[in-house]
Amino acid sequence: MSKKEVKVMVERETFEKNGKTYFSYFIKGNLRGKDVKVAVVPPDKGGYAVLDIVFGNDTKAELVVNPYEIKDEATGNVIKGNTYAVRTVDENGEIYESNIKPYRNSDKTLLNMLLR
């Protein structure tokens, strides 16, 4: 039996630091009855402006998972993993997308568990 495809959403909320308001980005889930919150960030500092454009006035955007495989020619080992992005579609059908990554190693581990 195949696992049901479920859209995973990346959410954002505001927080204040040094008198300025910023957004934090996260994925909520539940693992073994425990609520978890996976922190995600853009791949570089300039990516926050791109995320503002992708989210627009929304507080949620769809998580896009792109699997990859890289073969190490010297050893023959195949390295597998995923890259992640957030995507929204506006009222005109225009797609906005930006790469993201788990913030910490623990966030990467939790995200992998949620996506199984």
Side-chain angles (χ1 to χ4, degrees), residues 25-113:
Y25 299 88
F26 55 90
I27 299 165
K28 287 182 181 176
N30 190 290
L31 295 166
R32 291 187 147 185
K34 182 173 179 67
D35 289 333
V36 295
K37 199 171 180 179
V38 179
V40 294
V41 295
D44 56 51
K45 195 170 184 157
Y48 285 101
V50 180
L51 285 177
D52 282 345
I53 293 167
V54 171
F55 274 80
N57 292 324
D58 295 331
T59 58
K60 292 184 178 183
E62 183 181 354
L63 176 69
V64 179
V65 180
N66 296 307
Y68 68 85
E69 287 187 12
I70 300 172
K71 184 174 183 179
D72 182 337
E73 295 300 327
T75 65
N77 291 337
V78 176
I79 300 166
K80 296 179 182 181
N82 295 313
T83 61
Y84 306 98
V86 288
R87 177 186 299 155
T88 57
V89 180
D90 71 11
E91 62 279 355
N92 299 320
E94 189 75 29
I95 297 171
Y96 296 90
E97 190 171 302
S98 177
N99 290 332
I100 58 169
K101 64 181 183 178
Y103 180 57
R104 298 175 292 265
N105 254 353
S106 57
D107 292 309
K108 182 177 181 180
T109 301
L110 287 171
L111 184 56
N112 285 336
M113 284 187 225

Side-chain angles (χ1 to χ4, degrees), residues 2-7:
S2 67
K3 189 174 181 181
K4 183 181 170 190
E5 283 295 316
V6 177
K7 276 190 182 181

